[in-house]
Amino acid sequence: MTTDGSLPGRRERKKAATRRALSDAALELFLERGYDRVKIADIAEAADTAVTTLFAHFPAGKEALILDDSGEREASLTAAVRDRPDGSGVLDALHDFFAGRAPFADDLPEEFQRRMALVMSTPALRDYARRVWIACQDSLAALLAEAAGRTEPDDSLYVLARYVLETPDLASDRPDRKAALAEAFTHLKQGWPGF
């Protein structure tokens, strides 16, 4: 379905199929050869497309083939904050949101687990994932301000947004990822008790 609830047209379905073919080809090649040994041309050839087609769908390059979300992260953060249960704090909702995603959730589909294992073991992909999350800082700060009944975020909300978005990357390196994530959010709630 499209954002307005209608079914996608033929052109949109073809675009989605091409994106999926490129992403699947990239994943298989990265797992088979290693991320650094795969060139963009290899991926395009494996997906039976032109390099220009690959860049038309993934202008950010190789990393986006595995981690592109077309705005999914920002939309998910927005939903986590706005759709939280009555009486639930924003930081509790954000903790639950991250705890349900890789690398913290245990019940993810096998294909997604393969992607996340690749990301966690590939410095370029891991750095890209962190940058994509950090790019949500301004929108998360605005959501925090909205939740607090403010018209716009102040510096403390920008700081909180940044800490929240850095937390998953930091916690994912710890031996007990889930416990580290929970502990980080406990500290954030102490620093921002109203959230």
Side-chain angles (χ1 to χ4, degrees), residues 10-166:
R10 183 173 185 260
R11 183 175 183 179
E12 288 78 22
R13 289 191 312 270
K14 287 183 76 171
K15 281 183 180 180
T18 300
R19 287 179 64 80
R20 180 68 181 187
L22 287 163
S23 182
D24 289 349
L27 177 62
E28 293 308 316
L29 289 171
F30 293 159
L31 290 171
E32 178 185 311
R33 299 182 196 171
Y35 176 81
D36 293 326
R37 293 188 184 122
V38 176
K39 295 179 175 31
I40 291 288
D42 299 333
I43 298 165
E45 183 179 328
D48 196 25
T49 65
V51 170
T52 54
T53 300
L54 185 148
F55 279 114
H57 288 279
F58 295 96
K62 277 173 51 172
E63 296 89 353
L65 285 155
I66 297 299
L67 292 164
D68 183 60
D69 69 357
S70 301
E72 182 272 335
R73 282 175 179 79
E74 194 168 328
S76 295
L77 283 168
T78 299
V81 172
R82 288 187 178 155
D83 300 342
R84 70 188 185 280
D86 289 339
S88 175
V90 174
L91 290 174
D92 287 330
L94 289 167
H95 172 249
D96 292 346
F97 167 73
F98 284 114
R101 296 177 68 99
F104 305 102
D106 296 324
D107 58 348
L108 299 171
E110 182 180 341
E111 179 189 342
F112 200 77
Q113 289 178 19
R114 292 173 65 207
R115 284 180 188 275
M116 286 304 98
L118 177 66
V119 170
M120 296 301 291
S121 66
T122 307
L125 290 172
R126 187 146 179 198
D127 183 56
Y128 182 80
R130 181 182 165 274
R131 287 192 319 253
V132 172
W133 277 113
I134 297 306
C136 297
Q137 179 179 326
D138 290 347
S139 60
L140 181 56
L143 287 165
L144 293 168
E146 177 185 302
R150 302 179 192 172
T151 56
E152 60 184 51
D154 61 13
D155 289 343
S156 72
L157 294 183
Y158 283 106
V159 170
L160 177 56
R162 182 61 171 261
Y163 283 161
V164 165
L165 295 170
E166 291 280 7

